[in-house]
Amino acid sequence: MSAALESVLEATMGSLFRSEEMTLCQLFLQSEAAYACVSELGELGLVQFRDLNPDVNAFQRKFVNEVRRCDEMERKLRYLEKEIKKDGIPMLDTGENPEAPQPREMIDLEATFEKLENELREVNQNAEALKRNFLELTELKHILRKTQVFFDEQEHAGLNSTESMTRALISDDNIARQTALGPVQLGYVQPANRRAKYLSCVPCVRVYSFVAGVILRERIPAFERMLWRACRGNVFLRQAEIETPLEDPSTGDQVFKSVFIIFFQGDQLKTRVKKICEGFRATLYPCPEAPADRREMAMGVMTRIEDLNTVLGQTQDHRHRVLVAAAKNIKNWFIKVRKIKAIYHTLNLFNLDVTQKCLIAECWVPVLDIETIQQALRRGTERSGSSVPPILNRMETFEDPPTYNRTNKFTKGFQALIDAYGVASYREMNPAPYTIITFPFLFAVMFGDLGHGMLMFAFAAWMVLKEKPLAAQKTDNEIWNIFFGGRYIIFLMGLFSMYTGLIYNDVFSKSLNLFGSHWEIRNLTSKDVLDNGVLPINPTWDYVGHPYPFGMDPIWQLAENKIIFLNSYKMKISIIFGIIHMLFGVVVGLFNHLYFKRRLNIICEFIPQILFLIFLFFYMTILMFIKWIKYAAPHPINNPDVTTSSFCAPSVLITFINMVLFKSPEEKDTEGTKKNPCDPWMYGGQNGLQMLLVLVALLCIPWMLFAKPFMMMQERKKKHMQVRCKILNTHNTENGDLDGSGAVQAQGQVQGGHKEEEEDMAEVMIHQGIHTIEYVLGSVSHTASYLRLWALSLAHAQLSEVLWNMVLRNGLTQGGGLGGIILWALFAFWATMTVAILVLMEGLSAFLHTLRLHWVEFQSKFYLGQGYSFTPFSFEILLETAQATSEAAD
């Protein structure tokens, strides 16, 4: 009974404080049942398969054709998804998780996707052809309309078409067009004194030919310059903008175009103009010269446009119906195809036995879940209809198993912080359970403010309460995903910050007067108080004598020596918390040594490390408590003894330095004649005890440096002697007596082994030296590193106070209606700066410093972090990864 209880406790507690126990298993599956069994294991997500075909090309594996078919189906689904998003059709996501289809259902899925793709492509091609035809007719409509306006303008002048063209070429308005290159001569230019005579001969001028078309609006200037240069100014161009944008049938973009008409004379110019139009991708359209023909063509164009609109609308309705039907199932189709692909990709990791009827796999599984995995295999066998049950055998291996730490939505964020530094070695103590408490607490020591902590707590509480709807709103905003993923970390950081804010009695740089102050201002008149804005607190006559019930007395907020007092207080508690944190890390390392049965590490590493840390640094914290308990502020009634007053209290830092240097404090005053009434020692026998502690701490350094290599060397010598005796006994037994060759051979074997041992011992000595130096020097630097708790706390409090005094305090001093408006504006600015600087920036700074204290100062005492993560075959993980990849691609 006790053994069973002990095993249960080991299983439950071990999974919490260290990674799961893993085992390597060999799996035998019948070929017809392999697909269904792997499908069940994928839904379970507790098996990590190994690749048994590392030397086989991906294109030469057994199920490569099935994987290609899945890739093709996934391509078709992505095409459908792109078309659905293009039309803005919502894709129904019911949250269902359909099972992986059977292999025979792949044919139906392929046929469905093929039909949808072909139908959609055909509809798109027809729609594109109709849109292109519609575009051409629309452009022709604008050409006929714009050219008709041009001809009408000339006819109002009393000229026919031929006369209007000729008059246009030589008139003052159209004979030259101003461009960026200067006046462009279009047509034959007459001198000014001969122009009137030339105009009188208009009926004798030849009729000019013309072409009309449409070009992109931004190409008009370059098109105009090219016509002038290529045709030597012997053409006339007139253009008009199309006001409404036109849709490009190829891309679907809205483009702006212009109508142009070009007049020229002769076939050579006609060929040149058409080539220029082709080079600028201008579209030319036939334009009749007679007004009646133009009107008739325009009527025909309008009729065809109306018919095209009707057909195009019907085509778009059919396309919309196809996409709406596909949008209802596309999410489930994606899940099914990705599951099928994952199953066949996993089957490619298996080996075939000699009969070609059985698949062999090797996988890492948690020991506690073997029964669950066997049940999943039995379900898969029943689904496939196979009569041969699968076989799961445990294997012995010297390979390091993967690290698997079970997490839930609460512990997942803290485990991610640890894994970011390094994945724990197999069965190594997991720092995550302790980090759940120590991380938000150390953060709160730096961020201690009731108001700011309340803002952080409220934001995290909102994310926790709205967890499900916020998780359903999947977004690719990286900053939001970080905040939401660490919502429980932020929740605890805000909660602990509220607690430390009460301890510091700090709320937006102000104090809470919950219990009333325990200080009284004596020997001062009201005039003294009013004349002095800030007064120093002197415990000799101001202190009542009763300690404040909880946290700091609110009177300190008004004291002139507030920073001096808080500096000493916060600096000491930072050192105390830091040393306790490091001691806890060393103790956690003891559990690693006990679990892995490293007796040598306990004797040669843990014991000297804990003694070194306790006898030096933990002793310093004990001195702080002794000083707090023994010495008090001088008071004529409560503490009349001068020797136990703060005046005679020795400095802990000076005492510690003198202790390390074996130096006794001076007991005489500066003149050396009269003995100082203050006792330099805090308790009796302090000098002898301190010398003993320092000597033991110094002895711990060579203990850490030489004890382990020496003991390892002794153990190896014993093994070496045992091997030598065994070899001698073997030769004596076989030959009756040891001959010379046997002795030489045995000696050679022993010398060869001894050489390898010397090389190993050199590595051990180097490693042990590095480890010792790192620990001894790190104990000093890490202790000083915890002073960041004091520094950031002081900086946060001062920054909060500066923001209050320089911003919001000015608004509170204003009165009247104008003062209300000023206060509203200043409060908005103060609230914005509070959230942006004090909550976000200061919070991020405190978070990073807390992370460093855990990674370097705490985890370096016991954590190796040289493992690799357990990555099981899980449909849930695969689908989340695929979804994130598709969102990133979009």
Side-chain angles (χ1 to χ4, degrees):
M1 182 68 181
S2 60
L5 180 61
E6 187 176 338
S7 62
V8 171
L9 287 175
E10 170 65 23
T12 55
M13 300 299 287
S15 63
L16 178 63
F17 295 105
R18 60 178 78 247
S19 61
E20 289 282 340
E21 185 179 356
M22 308 293 292
T23 182
L24 183 64
C25 293
Q26 194 173 35
L27 183 60
F28 295 88
L29 300 173
Q30 290 297 312
S31 296
E32 61 271 13
Y35 182 93
C37 291
V38 173
S39 175
E40 291 291 336
L41 294 178
E43 298 290 350
L44 198 60
L46 290 173
V47 176
Q48 177 180 337
F49 291 100
R50 301 174 65 187
D51 190 1
L52 300 183
N53 307 299
D55 299 328
V56 179
N57 193 301
F59 301 101
Q60 297 176 348
R61 305 204 177 194
K62 179 176 177 57
F63 300 99
V64 63
N65 293 328
E66 285 77 3
V67 174
R68 286 176 176 173
R69 290 166 61 188
C70 293
D71 287 335
E72 182 65 18
M73 287 192 291
E74 199 170 5
R75 181 195 63 78
K76 294 174 182 178
L77 287 176
R78 285 196 299 268
Y79 172 72
L80 290 174
E81 184 183 32
K82 183 182 71 173
E83 295 297 323
I84 291 171
K85 290 181 178 179
K86 184 187 294 184
D87 280 19
I89 300 173
M91 291 178 285
L92 183 63
D93 189 3
T94 60
E96 297 179 1
N97 186 18
E99 294 183 352
Q102 294 297 319
R104 57 181 175 272
E105 297 181 30
M106 283 183 63
I107 301 175
D108 298 335
L109 289 175
E110 286 177 319
T112 302
F113 300 157
E114 183 73 20
K115 179 183 176 182
L116 284 173
E117 185 190 26
N118 292 337
E119 186 176 3
L120 193 57
R121 288 190 182 278
E122 184 179 356
V123 170
N124 288 343
Q125 289 174 359
N126 294 337
E128 185 177 350
L130 291 173
K131 287 181 179 179
R132 187 172 286 105
N133 198 359
F134 179 79
L135 177 64
E136 293 174 354
L137 291 174
T138 305
E139 291 177 347
L140 181 57
K141 178 187 72 174
H142 286 289
I143 287 175
L144 295 174
R145 184 178 298 169
K146 298 294 183 182
T147 54
Q148 184 63 34
V149 171
F150 172 71
F151 287 131
D152 289 344
E153 290 175 356
Q154 302 301 326
E155 288 176 357
H156 286 317
L159 303 173
N160 57 24
S161 299
T162 304
E163 292 172 345
S164 66
M165 297 303 105
T166 308
R167 180 61 62 93
L169 286 171
I170 58 178
S171 64
D172 290 336
D173 293 334
N174 297 321
I175 194 71
R177 292 185 59 85
Q178 187 75 18
T179 67
L181 300 176
V184 180
Q185 302 296 329
L186 301 176
Y188 182 75
V189 182
Q190 294 291 333
N193 57 352
R194 298 174 58 188
R195 188 171 298 166
K197 181 179 178 181
Y198 183 78
L199 288 176
S200 64
C201 302
V202 164
C204 301
V205 181
R206 287 187 60 186
V207 178
Y208 278 66
S209 301
F210 68 91
V211 293
V214 176
I215 191 173
L216 291 174
R217 188 177 298 178
E218 60 269 17
R219 295 179 181 174
I220 283 290
F223 181 61
E224 207 172 326
R225 289 194 297 268
M226 181 58 71
L227 280 173
W228 174 71
R229 290 174 178 174
C231 299
R232 301 180 183 275
N234 294 317
V235 295
F236 174 75
L237 170 68
R238 183 161 185 180
Q239 58 93 14
E241 296 179 353
I242 301 176
E243 293 80 7
T244 58
L246 304 177
E247 182 182 355
D248 189 346
S250 300
T251 61
D253 299 333
Q254 299 292 324
V255 294
F256 289 89
K257 294 188 176 183
S258 296
V259 173
F260 66 87
I261 183 169
I262 305 173
F263 296 94
F264 51 84
Q265 182 181 1
D267 294 337
Q268 186 176 2
L269 280 179
K270 180 178 181 180
T271 304
R272 192 173 298 176
V273 166
K274 287 187 175 181
K275 286 184 177 180
I276 294 173
C277 292
E278 182 180 355
F280 279 87
R281 297 191 178 183
T283 308
L284 300 178
Y285 291 95
C287 182
E289 186 174 343
D293 294 340
R294 288 197 297 272
R295 284 192 292 271
E296 182 179 356
M297 179 179 286
M299 293 177 61
V301 168
M302 294 301 297
T303 304
R304 292 180 61 188
I305 287 176
E306 292 178 359
D307 296 339
L308 271 178
N309 273 328
T310 304
V311 177
L312 195 57
Q314 294 175 353
T315 304
Q316 291 293 342
D317 291 341
H318 177 65
R319 181 177 185 273
H320 187 76
R321 286 193 299 271
V322 172
L323 292 178
V324 167
K328 295 179 180 178
N329 301 314
I330 192 167
K331 292 290 186 181
N332 288 342
W333 285 341
F334 264 119
I335 293 174
K336 290 181 179 180
V337 171
R338 285 166 178 165
K339 283 187 176 182
I340 296 172
K341 181 181 177 181
I343 291 172
Y344 282 118
H345 179 73
T346 303
L347 290 175
N348 277 332
L349 305 178
F350 295 1
N351 260 340
L352 280 171
D353 68 342
V354 292
T355 62
Q356 302 288 318
K357 293 182 180 180
C358 180
L359 290 173
I360 305 173
E362 290 183 4
C363 53
W364 292 106
V365 298
V367 174
L368 294 178
D369 296 318
I370 290 181
E371 183 62 30
T372 306
I373 294 170
Q374 289 176 342
Q375 292 177 2
L377 292 174
R378 285 194 289 268
R379 287 196 303 269
T381 305
E382 293 172 0
R383 282 180 52 193
S384 64
S386 176
S387 58
V388 180
I391 302 174
L392 185 68
N393 292 330
R394 295 182 64 172
M395 300 174 59
E396 296 294 334
T397 179
F398 293 102
E399 184 179 350
D400 291 332
T403 301
Y404 175 44
N405 293 302
R406 295 184 191 271
T407 58
N408 51 36
K409 61 183 181 181
F410 177 74
T411 60
K412 185 177 180 180
F414 294 96
Q415 189 65 55
L417 292 180
I418 302 302
D419 292 341
Y421 175 77
V423 180
S425 303
Y426 177 65
R427 300 293 286 169
E428 185 180 19
M429 288 293 289
N430 183 21
Y434 320 111
T435 305
I436 295 174
I437 299 300
T438 60
F439 190 91
F441 178 74
L442 292 181
F443 171 86
V445 173
M446 292 183 275
F447 194 75
D449 189 294
L450 180 61
H452 300 150
M454 194 177 299
L455 294 177
M456 187 177 293
F457 176 80
F459 174 64
W462 171 75
M463 288 192 293
V464 171
L465 293 176
K466 299 290 184 181
E467 183 176 289
K468 291 184 179 179
L470 291 175
Q473 298 175 1
K474 296 180 180 178
T475 176
D476 56 351
N477 190 322
E478 188 175 355
I479 296 177
W480 166 254
N481 289 334
I482 291 174
F483 278 125
F484 185 72
R487 58 193 178 278
Y488 289 100
I489 301 177
I490 301 174
F491 180 85
L492 289 182
M493 290 193 305
L495 185 64
F496 278 68
S497 297
M498 293 168 62
Y499 168 75
T500 53
L502 288 173
I503 294 293
Y504 297 155
N505 204 353
D506 192 355
V507 187
F508 297 119
S509 77
K510 296 300 167 186
S511 297
L512 294 176
N513 192 5
L514 298 177
F515 306 102
S517 176
H518 282 216
W519 294 77
E520 293 181 0
I521 301 178
R522 300 175 182 177
N523 302 326
L524 292 176
T525 63
S526 58
K527 184 179 182 302
D528 296 332
V529 176
L530 293 175
D531 291 343
N532 295 276
V534 180
L535 294 172
I537 295 178
N538 190 342
T540 303
W541 61 78
D542 296 335
Y543 185 51
V544 177
H546 304 291
Y548 198 70
F550 185 81
M552 305 293 296
D553 195 300
I555 196 66
W556 283 107
Q557 187 67 31
L558 306 175
E560 187 179 17
N561 53 343
K562 169 190 171 184
I563 296 180
I564 299 174
F565 171 74
L566 289 181
N567 265 349
S568 176
Y569 169 72
K570 292 183 177 180
M571 181 176 64
K572 286 183 174 64
I573 64 172
S574 299
I575 295 296
I576 292 170
F577 290 150
I579 292 173
I580 293 175
H581 200 214
M582 290 190 296
L583 276 173
F584 179 65
V586 177
V587 173
V588 172
L590 173 64
F591 291 98
N592 276 334
H593 301 325
L594 291 174
Y595 178 81
F596 293 110
K597 299 179 181 179
R598 300 169 180 163
R599 185 181 61 87
L600 197 60
N601 288 0
I602 297 175
I603 299 173
C604 303
E605 290 184 0
F606 169 73
I607 295 177
Q609 285 177 359
I610 199 75
L611 291 178
F612 183 84
L613 203 59
I614 289 177
F615 286 4
L616 289 182
F617 299 98
F618 188 71
Y619 175 73
M620 182 172 61
T621 65
I622 295 175
L623 290 180
M624 294 178 188
F625 282 100
I626 294 175
K627 183 177 179 179
W628 285 340
I629 294 171
K630 183 176 180 180
Y631 300 95
H635 197 275
I637 299 175
N638 299 325
N639 188 23
D641 189 5
V642 179
T643 59
T644 59
S645 66
S646 58
F647 175 75
C648 289
S651 170
V652 174
L653 181 60
I654 299 300
T655 301
F656 182 75
I657 294 174
N658 290 335
M659 166 185 165
V660 176
L661 297 178
F662 296 99
K663 182 180 178 182
S664 299
E666 297 292 337
E667 298 185 1
K668 295 183 179 180
D669 59 1
T670 55
E671 297 178 358
T673 57
K674 183 175 64 177
K675 189 176 176 71
N676 195 326
C678 298
D679 189 0
W681 305 107
M682 296 185 183
Y683 59 90
Q686 181 179 354
N687 188 26
L689 178 61
Q690 289 182 169
M691 293 180 65
L692 176 64
L693 294 179
V694 174
L695 289 175
V696 174
L698 292 177
L699 288 175
C700 290
I701 298 176
W703 187 355
M704 285 185 284
L705 183 61
F706 298 111
K708 185 176 179 180
F710 177 77
M711 295 181 69
M712 289 180 64
M713 191 180 300
Q714 294 298 321
E715 290 182 1
R716 291 187 178 183
K717 283 183 178 181
K718 290 181 181 179
K719 292 180 181 179
H720 175 70
M721 293 301 298
Q722 292 176 358
V723 171
R724 184 176 181 182
C725 293
K726 186 176 180 181
I727 293 174
L728 292 174
N729 293 333
T730 302
H731 283 282
N732 288 332
T733 304
E734 291 180 355
N735 303 331
D737 192 8
L738 184 65
D739 55 1
S741 61
V744 172
Q745 184 179 0
Q747 186 177 0
Q749 292 176 356
V750 172
Q751 289 178 351
H754 183 65
K755 184 177 181 181
E756 294 178 359
E757 289 175 4
E758 287 181 350
E759 294 177 356
D760 294 339
M761 289 306 302
E763 294 180 0
V764 171
M765 284 292 296
I766 294 173
H767 179 269
Q768 198 65 21
I770 295 173
H771 183 72
T772 303
I773 296 171
E774 181 183 3
Y775 182 81
V776 173
L777 297 181
S779 298
V780 180
S781 62
H782 292 176
T783 303
S785 183
Y786 279 94
L787 290 175
R788 69 185 70 237
L789 298 174
W790 154 58
L792 265 75
S793 175
L794 183 64
H796 183 85
Q798 290 302 304
L799 189 60
S800 178
E801 186 174 353
V802 167
L803 188 62
W804 178 282
N805 293 332
M806 297 187 64
V807 179
L808 196 58
R809 187 177 181 181
N810 296 327
L812 294 173
T813 58
Q814 303 294 329
L818 180 61
I821 298 175
I822 294 175
L823 178 60
W824 173 82
L826 290 178
F827 177 79
F829 179 75
W830 174 82
T832 303
M833 297 299 290
T834 297
V835 173
I837 297 178
L838 293 177
V839 176
L840 291 178
M841 293 182 61
E842 282 286 324
L844 179 60
S845 175
F847 178 89
L848 295 176
H849 282 283
T850 309
L851 195 62
R852 181 244 154 78
L853 290 177
H854 280 78
W855 280 359
V856 179
E857 278 72 23
F858 174 59
Q859 292 178 194
S860 63
K861 302 297 185 293
F862 67 95
Y863 190 69
L864 294 178
Q866 297 176 353
Y868 62 99
S869 296
F870 175 64
T871 53
F873 170 63
S874 172
F875 287 145
E876 181 180 359
I877 297 175
L878 291 172
L879 293 175
E880 289 178 357
T881 305
Q883 181 69 21
T885 304
S886 62
E887 290 177 357
D890 294 339

